[in-house]
Amino acid sequence: MQTMPAHAAHHDDREIETLEEFDATVSARGSLAGFRIQAVDLTDRTRELLGTDTTGAIFLGCPMREEAAAKIRGGGALVFPPVPDLPFDPYRGLVYSPDELFASLTDGYENTPDARAYAWFQRTKADRDVYASMLRAIHDDSISDALDELLSGARVVGVMGGHAMRRGTPAYEGAARLGRELARAGLTVATGGGPGAMEAANLGAYAAPYDDEMLAEALRILAKAPVFTPSITDWATAAFEVRARWPKGGRSVGIPTWFYGHEPPNPFASHIAKYFANATREDGLLARSGAGVVFLPGAAGTVQEIFDNATPNYYESRGEPTPMVLVDRVHWTEKLPAWPLLKSLARERSMEARIALVDRIEDAPEALKRLGG
């Protein structure tokens, strides 16, 4: 069973991202000199802040009492105060959880932090305010940093596919089985974090510790709300019903964006790295899928992802080409003929041995293993 590496073990040891890490550092070293303290609530740590060397430290969005802030500024630390009245924390140290993004779902999706962040994005995007764009950039950079720490040492496989795939269909069940098999093989499943094929793959990883009966029952529950329109509330509530019945699901990653704000993140990814900038998110998802990518049938977005992934493989700009498996021959040779172009690009290059087209979703894990050597 794939377990992602423990968060604290891998991040830069000068970064402090939780109150526990703050307390441990102060008691072990008696100094915070040169440390980066990120989005930790220090309101009740005034005594420690007043009595500790903070030379060269940087406090990013840490709530604290004014006397503490004045003292550490005077002692040569930089303090970036929390930004008031924002529906998100630009300095956050960790990626999101589904419970965090969907908090208050019982009052309707529009009241959740996820919906409120999107509404803020819509409001500020139009007026080209440099302050708002800076906050978005800081947020996305914090998310990338947190995602790198989370995935350090993990073997990540990307599963790409369309958001239009409906719950309750054979295709959805196939994508869920794929996610489950990849997770059981010790891989960390990463998707674009949205509905459809992406949700199905995250659901499969979630179902990995359970038996066939659980997955069949989960698929039945979800089929009651097959798509996220007209009600994201109903769609998400069905997913949380599954999570409540089987609370100890397997871990996986979703990497969605508020750029497609009408499209909610799915609650089956245990870790959600949500971005404002779609380009940062696209590139980050593919760059981190070092164990390869499976492309399920999709439309323009999936076609874009195929060639976003093919380009660094072609130039070997990220090192060795990574495996690419396209699923559904008819889709990728007739409906949207991406495969012939991919094959032509790969000819006589080292990526040629790393691409495959399979008919059935069941053949994807074996192809991935074969290409990965």
Side-chain angles (χ1 to χ4, degrees):
M1 205 36 247
Q2 165 68 14
T3 52
M4 277 184 237
H7 159 76
H10 288 279
H11 72 60
D12 175 345
D13 52 14
R14 289 187 314 143
E15 283 180 23
I16 294 174
E17 294 163 352
T18 64
L19 202 51
E20 294 72 37
E21 287 177 13
F22 177 87
D23 290 341
T25 304
V26 170
S27 70
R29 296 180 177 240
S31 169
L32 291 165
F35 274 81
R36 314 283 187 249
I37 302 89
Q38 200 175 340
V40 180
D41 188 341
L42 300 175
T43 318
D44 296 332
R45 293 294 184 275
T46 304
R47 194 168 50 88
E48 290 80 352
L49 290 170
L50 293 177
T52 307
D53 178 14
T54 53
T55 318
I58 296 178
F59 292 81
L60 298 166
C62 299
M64 62 179 78
R65 305 224 183 272
E66 193 38 61
E67 57 176 314
K71 178 260 168 187
I72 60 184
R73 272 196 205 97
L78 263 182
V79 179
F80 292 79
V83 181
D85 306 322
L86 266 192
F88 62 93
D89 180 357
Y91 299 113
R92 56 180 301 122
L94 307 170
V95 297
Y96 294 97
S97 71
D99 291 325
E100 191 180 356
L101 285 176
F102 284 101
S104 323
L105 181 64
T106 44
D107 303 330
Y109 170 72
E110 60 285 354
N111 295 301
T112 63
D114 185 60
R116 287 178 23 240
Y118 175 57
W120 176 88
F121 184 27
Q122 289 298 93
R123 261 198 326 276
T124 57
K125 196 169 60 170
D127 58 18
R128 294 197 174 150
D129 177 5
V130 63
Y131 177 55
S133 63
M134 181 191 77
L135 292 173
R136 292 197 293 270
I138 292 171
H139 169 274
D140 285 3
D141 192 62
S142 300
I143 290 292
S144 288
D145 183 56
L147 190 58
D148 282 338
E149 289 162 10
L150 176 76
L151 295 178
S152 172
R155 289 168 60 227
V156 181
V157 62
V159 179
M160 312 291 154
H163 64 253
M165 185 186 282
R166 296 168 73 92
R167 294 168 171 177
T169 59
Y172 185 95
E173 180 177 343
R177 288 178 179 280
L178 171 68
R180 186 174 69 167
E181 190 171 338
L182 295 171
R184 285 178 175 174
L187 296 160
T188 296
V189 172
T191 76
M198 299 172 272
E199 179 186 60
N202 287 128
L203 166 67
Y206 189 87
Y210 293 99
D211 59 8
D212 287 355
E213 192 57 34
M214 175 270 177
L215 183 56
E217 186 57 25
L219 291 167
R220 270 198 294 278
I221 293 169
L222 294 172
K224 296 186 295 193
V227 284
F228 63 92
T229 51
S231 171
I232 293 176
T233 306
D234 293 350
W235 174 86
T237 301
F240 278 102
E241 188 184 324
V242 170
R243 289 181 42 125
R245 274 189 61 178
W246 296 280
K248 294 190 163 34
R251 291 149 64 100
S252 69
V253 179
I255 306 182
T257 173
W258 279 293
F259 181 76
Y260 299 130
H262 62 284
E263 196 178 283
N266 80 73
F268 292 111
S270 53
H271 298 82
I272 301 176
K274 192 155 190 180
Y275 287 90
F276 287 106
N278 187 43
T280 311
R281 162 254 189 178
E282 288 272 1
D283 192 56
L285 173 52
L286 294 164
R288 289 177 179 84
S289 298
V293 183
V294 178
F295 297 91
L296 301 176
T302 313
V303 172
Q304 181 183 346
E305 285 161 344
I306 289 173
F307 293 104
D308 276 348
N309 200 38
T311 304
N313 284 345
Y314 179 90
Y315 290 113
E316 299 190 38
S317 54
R318 293 190 189 126
E320 282 276 293
T322 50
M324 297 177 67
V325 179
L326 277 59
V327 175
D328 191 333
R329 191 172 302 272
V330 172
H331 187 85
W332 294 122
T333 60
E334 292 171 29
K335 201 170 165 195
L336 296 172
W339 174 252
L341 178 52
L342 183 64
K343 233 178 114 166
S344 304
L345 269 177
R347 195 165 296 129
E348 292 172 9
R349 299 184 82 87
S350 56
M351 73 181 275
E352 191 169 24
R354 295 289 174 93
I355 63 170
L357 173 66
V358 298
D359 279 318
R360 301 168 334 124
I361 202 163
E362 294 78 14
D363 304 328
E366 185 46 49
L368 203 58
K369 207 178 292 165
R370 192 175 71 241
L371 300 177

